[in-house]
Amino acid sequence: MAVQISPSILSADFARLADEAARVENVADWLHVDVMDYRFVPNLTLGLPVVESLLKTTSTPVDCHLMIEEPDRWAPDYAEAGAGSVTIHAEAAKAAVRTLRAIRAAGARAGLALNPATAVEGYEDLLPEIDMLLVMTVEPGFGGQRFLDIVLPKVSRARTLIDKYGGEVWLQVDGGVSTETIERCAEAGADVFVAGNAVYGADDPARAVEELRNLAERATPPA
Ligand code: DX5
Ligand code: ZN
């Protein structure tokens, strides 16, 4: 799978989201939207109405990362609204298989996210139900946190499980991904890279995306 970069608008200016999305249009593969509900994580961001408005202003596919307590209830709505990818947390879902199937049925790619303390082992039987596995490389909730190196062995184990399964499942990393850390993520087998601060904290977000992409491509092991 080719390297993909998904800038997180969590580090963008929320009052100017359309402009901020435009700054990475035609450069980024996805626009990563962090939905937080003050319950699953100690932060509150935005919900479906904002995602619906954003979808109207950008041609970049939207990658919704739901850090919410009730993904089973809300995730299908994001897919129906037109998000290209909807990711739910394994720790929050009570009926993950049903919800992942509902996301796919609504026409989006289905993602499953794992917090740093959640083992990937035990989720391998769900690989046929997902299009992307998200391994969190920080505790979810805030942008600009320090990358957790301790998660890298899990990224490698996830890569091994996905390769053994043989289907097309993307492996995303999210949290603290920067020019300092992206190569280690790529070496461990990640192929979709979320970056908030590293993109929107840069003077030129589009250039930051290209820089991250080049580093990840050079560090990706040959197939
Ligand atoms: C954290 C979010 C991330 C966040 C990443 O809970 O899921 O998507 O925006 O931001 P950086 O890249 O700044 O760590
Ligand atoms: Zn995220």
Side-chain angles (χ1 to χ4, degrees), residues 8 10-11 32 34 36 65 67 136 138-145 174-177 194-197:
S8 167
L10 187 59
S11 299
H32 185 85
D34 291 301
M36 306 184 187
H65 175 196
M67 285 159 277
M136 291 302 301
V138 297
E139 292 288 1
F142 301 93
Q145 298 183 79
D174 180 10
V177 174
V194 177
N197 209 44

Side-chain angles (χ1 to χ4, degrees), residues 91-158:
E91 302 83 2
K94 294 192 175 67
V97 173
R98 185 170 65 217
T99 302
L100 292 162
R101 288 184 179 181
I103 293 168
R104 279 180 163 175
R109 298 178 61 89
L112 184 71
L114 306 177
N115 279 344
T118 304
V120 65
E121 290 76 16
Y123 288 101
E124 55 260 56
D125 291 343
L126 255 53
L127 291 175
E129 302 290 340
I130 65 175
D131 302 295
M132 185 167 77
L133 183 67
L134 164 52
V135 174
M136 291 302 301
T137 42
V138 297
E139 292 288 1
F142 301 93
Q145 298 183 79
R146 202 183 155 86
F147 181 81
L148 292 174
D149 287 279
I150 54 160
V151 180
L152 282 171
K154 180 164 68 178
V155 177
S156 301
R157 294 199 302 278

Side-chain angles (χ1 to χ4, degrees), residues 5 44 48 54 56 65 67 103 110 133 141 145 158 175 187 193 205 208 220 222:
I5 308 290
L44 179 72
L48 194 56
L54 193 60
K56 286 185 209 142
H65 175 196
M67 285 159 277
I103 293 168
L133 183 67
Q145 298 183 79
E187 280 161 15
F193 304 86
T220 298

